[in-house]
């Protein structure tokens, strides 16, 4: 059976006429069966649509390469970012003064490459307004490759998976008013300006609303890491600190808050929960207890110590990154890698989970502590033994809250105000902000 080939898949250089002929035959059959119906497709239309799909698919690789180019190697917290946010504020003031942008409405359906829908007209206008689509592409009901590229660009700017599909989530983000986005930029200008001083030659920055981590070396982002940060009711704190130690194959001592909120309810539902997850119970004299020794219908468990053994199921994964703080939080690996693929990554109890954590750990050690490289990192983890490494030089760490910023490429980024700290409901900006002295 002939078929269309997916993006990136090798297409045969011969036999295209045969594929087109198959389309013609299929279209003829459809016309014969559906004479008089609006959905019938003539052979000419079938051939034209086939050729158009081929053109769209051939452009997809170029589109993705172009989208990668909008990512900047410049740190979010830098003096230059202040300038770029100021330029973005001017741009959005003009958008607001021109009446903002049109809403996109697709009740009960999604729009994607190949869609022919009246809603695509509003979608094109919306994308032109924010600079994601060229103004000369504003007309048309067809969701073509230009619209696809513009939607993916919009998704990247808003921290969404760039799949080119306009569903309920993308639609709701597109329909945030331009005036709200302008106020976001103005609010975050204050934040970034306060933190655009000297942060250190080498530092790590966690942007909580973006659920993303930047490893910065000499003013350039060496690597970015997807993160999972605190839930709305268990927020990752905003602070400035320093990374001082790494724990390979760590034990996990369960915090009292998690014992109360999670562990006790889970033990009530499943008395084997601790055994299944290799969690041991100790009193504060170091004596190991059994689960049957604890009354799970009281808060007795909060007065005990729960420690999870190292291994594949350990909640901290293969390594924990310690920094000075009063909140008992840290950066760490995780066995739940699938969370990194989600758009919504606010799922921890305050700690920060790090994707590709071995890359970050190798960089931290090579930068600060002689004798370490990726081979030694991998072999240490593979040994399964608990190894603690104190860095020769502590590395500055910033847990920041930035929901809007712009880059040297003119890309204006927005993220959801997940902890409601932007004060866009008329109240003052909530929560502590880091101010460099």
């Amino acid at each position: 059976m002939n078929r269309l080939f997916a993006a990136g898949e090798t297409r045969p250089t011969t036999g295209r006429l045969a594929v087109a002929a198959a389309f013609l035959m299929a279209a003829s059959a459809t016309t014969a069966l559906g004479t008089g119906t609006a959905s019938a497709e003539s052979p000419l239309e079938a051939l034209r649509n086939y050729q158009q799909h081929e053109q769209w698919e051939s452009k997809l690789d170029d589109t993705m390469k172009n989208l990668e180019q909008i990512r900047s190697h410049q740190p979010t917290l830098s003096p230059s970012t202040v300038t770029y946010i100021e330029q973005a504020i001017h741009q959005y003031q003009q958008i607001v003064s021109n009446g903002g942008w049109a809403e996109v409405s697709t009740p009960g359906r999604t729009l994607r490459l190949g869609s022919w829908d009246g809603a695509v007209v509003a979608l094109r206008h919306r994308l032109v307004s924010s600079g994601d689509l060229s103004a000369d592409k504003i007309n048309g009901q067809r969701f073509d490759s230009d619209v696809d590229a513009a939607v993916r660009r919009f998704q990247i700017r808003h921290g969404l998976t760039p799949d080119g599909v306009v569903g309920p989530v993308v639609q709701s983000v597109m329909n945030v008013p331009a005036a709200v986005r302008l106020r976001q930029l103005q609010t975050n200008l204050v934040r970034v300006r306060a933190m655009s001083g000297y942060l250190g030659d080498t530092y790590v920055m966690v942007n909580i609303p973006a659920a993303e981590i930047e490893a910065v070396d000499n003013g350039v982002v060496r690597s970015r890491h997807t993160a999972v940060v605190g839930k709305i009711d268990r927020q990752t704190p905003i602070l400035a600190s320093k990374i001082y130690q790494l724990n390979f194959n760590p034990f996990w001592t369960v915090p009292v808050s998690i014992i109360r909120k999670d562990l006790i309810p889970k033990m009530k539902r499943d008395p084997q929960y601790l055994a299944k997850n290799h969690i041991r119970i100790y009193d504060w004299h170091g004596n190991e207890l059994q689960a049957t020794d604890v009354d799970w219908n009281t808060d007795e468990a909060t007065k005990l110590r729960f420690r999870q053994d190292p291994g594949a199921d350990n909640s901290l994964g293969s390594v924990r990154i310690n920094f000075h703080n009063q909140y008992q939080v840290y950066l760490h690996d995780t066995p739940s890698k699938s969370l990194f693929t989600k758009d919504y990554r606010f799922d921890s109890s305050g700690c920060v989970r790090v994707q590709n954590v071995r890359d970050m750990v190798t960089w931290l050690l090579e930068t600060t502590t002689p004798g370490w490289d990726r081979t030694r990192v991998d072999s240490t983890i593979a040994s399964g033994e608990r190894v603690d490494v104190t860095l020769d030089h502590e590395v500055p760490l910033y847990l920041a809250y930035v929901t809007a910023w712009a880059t040297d490429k003119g890309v204006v980024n927005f993220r959801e105000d997940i902890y409601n700290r932007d004060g866009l409901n008329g109240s003052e900006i909530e929560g502590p902000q880091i101010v460099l002295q």
Side-chain angles (χ1 to χ4, degrees):
M1 179 182 295
N2 290 300
R3 60 187 177 88
L4 289 177
F5 285 78
E9 190 174 355
T10 302
R11 297 174 176 82
T13 56
T14 60
R16 292 195 176 193
L17 290 177
V19 177
F23 262 84
L24 290 172
M25 291 173 62
S28 297
T30 303
T31 303
L33 291 172
T35 302
T37 64
S39 61
E41 199 175 37
S42 72
L44 185 59
E45 288 172 331
L47 179 58
R48 182 186 63 198
N49 289 337
Y50 165 70
Q51 291 171 335
Q52 194 167 48
H53 272 281
E54 273 223 322
Q55 292 170 359
W56 290 343
E57 290 175 5
S58 68
K59 289 182 179 180
L60 184 57
D61 288 343
D62 289 339
T63 293
M64 297 311 294
K65 289 176 183 176
N66 291 336
L67 291 175
E68 281 300 314
Q69 292 175 3
I70 75 173
R71 300 182 188 274
S72 174
H73 293 292
Q74 182 182 46
T76 301
L77 303 177
S78 74
S80 297
T81 304
V82 172
T83 301
Y84 299 134
I85 294 177
E86 290 171 339
Q87 293 170 352
I89 287 173
H90 178 68
Q91 173 190 345
Y92 275 72
Q93 285 172 333
Q94 290 183 317
I95 294 173
V96 171
S97 65
N98 290 332
W101 43 58
E103 283 199 353
V104 176
S105 179
T106 60
R109 63 191 187 280
T110 60
L111 300 176
R112 66 182 72 227
L113 185 64
S115 298
W116 188 297
D117 196 302
V120 175
V121 176
L123 175 62
R124 285 178 178 267
H125 280 76
R126 170 64 182 83
L127 293 168
V128 168
S129 296
S130 55
D132 294 297
L133 181 66
S134 174
D136 62 355
K137 308 291 185 182
I138 197 168
N139 294 317
Q141 297 186 55
R142 174 75 79 177
F143 194 126
D144 59 18
S145 58
D146 293 315
V147 176
D148 177 75
V151 169
R152 292 174 193 266
R153 186 179 190 276
F154 175 91
Q155 290 171 318
I156 288 176
R157 293 195 303 109
H158 293 80
L160 304 171
T161 302
D163 58 9
V165 178
V166 179
V169 172
V170 172
Q171 180 179 316
S172 66
V173 176
M174 283 187 171
N175 289 340
V176 173
V180 172
R181 294 306 192 194
L182 173 59
R183 292 199 298 273
Q184 247 187 301
L185 286 165
Q186 292 167 334
T187 296
N188 284 274
L189 176 62
V190 176
R191 289 180 179 144
V192 176
R193 185 178 281 153
M195 292 195 65
S196 62
Y198 178 69
L199 304 179
D201 294 331
T202 298
Y203 66 88
V204 174
M205 191 278 284
V206 179
N207 188 357
I208 297 168
E212 186 175 75
I213 304 169
E214 293 177 353
V216 180
D217 201 350
N218 291 317
V220 176
V221 176
R222 184 186 184 280
S223 62
R224 283 192 170 90
H225 302 259
T226 301
V228 175
V229 296
K231 302 174 182 178
I232 295 175
D233 61 341
R234 307 185 195 184
Q235 299 181 10
T236 297
I238 297 171
L239 54 80
S241 183
K242 290 186 176 181
I243 297 170
Y244 67 93
Q245 187 184 59
L246 306 176
N247 306 137
F248 289 102
N249 302 309
F251 292 100
W252 178 46
T253 301
V254 185
V256 173
S257 60
I258 295 180
I259 295 173
R260 180 177 291 110
K261 293 179 181 179
D262 298 322
L263 197 149
I264 292 176
K266 287 179 179 178
M267 282 297 292
K268 287 181 179 180
R269 292 194 297 268
D270 180 9
Q272 297 303 311
Y273 176 79
L274 293 180
K276 291 177 181 177
N277 289 276
H278 310 288
I279 299 175
R280 302 175 186 272
I281 312 172
Y282 298 91
D283 63 22
W284 289 101
H285 298 289
N287 301 309
E288 186 171 359
L289 307 176
Q290 300 302 312
T292 52
D293 296 330
V294 181
D295 184 352
W296 298 101
N297 294 309
T298 69
D299 66 349
E300 178 186 355
T302 62
K303 299 177 176 62
L304 301 172
R305 185 162 59 96
F306 293 80
R307 193 181 74 178
Q308 187 177 35
D309 293 337
D313 298 327
N314 187 282
S315 296
L316 305 186
S318 61
V319 64
R320 162 175 160 167
I321 303 172
N322 295 318
F323 56 91
H324 306 288
N325 73 95
Q326 64 186 27
Y327 304 98
Q328 295 185 308
V329 297
Y330 33 82
L331 278 63
H332 65 89
D333 183 23
T334 176
S336 303
K337 310 294 186 187
S338 62
L339 290 172
F340 294 124
T341 66
K342 299 182 182 299
D343 289 339
Y344 189 92
R345 299 190 300 278
F346 305 92
D347 198 60
S348 82
S349 294
C351 291
V352 180
R353 304 171 195 171
V354 186
Q355 188 181 37
N356 300 325
V357 71
R358 295 190 189 198
D359 292 343
M360 176 177 287
V361 165
T362 300
W363 170 71
L364 285 169
L365 288 170
E366 288 180 339
T367 303
T368 66
T369 309
W372 284 88
D373 57 16
R374 179 57 181 261
T375 299
R376 186 175 178 186
V377 167
D378 289 342
S379 63
T380 301
I381 291 172
S383 73
E385 297 180 7
R386 169 66 182 265
V387 176
D388 297 332
V389 181
T390 299
L391 303 185
D392 285 358
H393 306 286
E394 297 183 350
V395 176
L397 169 74
Y398 305 95
L399 303 186
Y401 196 88
V402 182
T403 62
W405 71 98
T407 73
D408 54 330
K409 300 179 184 293
V411 178
V412 186
N413 295 274
F414 296 99
R415 297 295 185 270
E416 183 180 356
D417 178 20
I418 189 68
Y419 294 166
N420 192 29
R421 293 182 180 272
D422 280 355
L424 299 185
N425 57 1
S427 62
E428 295 297 323
I429 300 173
E430 300 178 6
Q433 303 301 318
I434 306 171
V435 178
L436 300 180
Q437 303 296 327

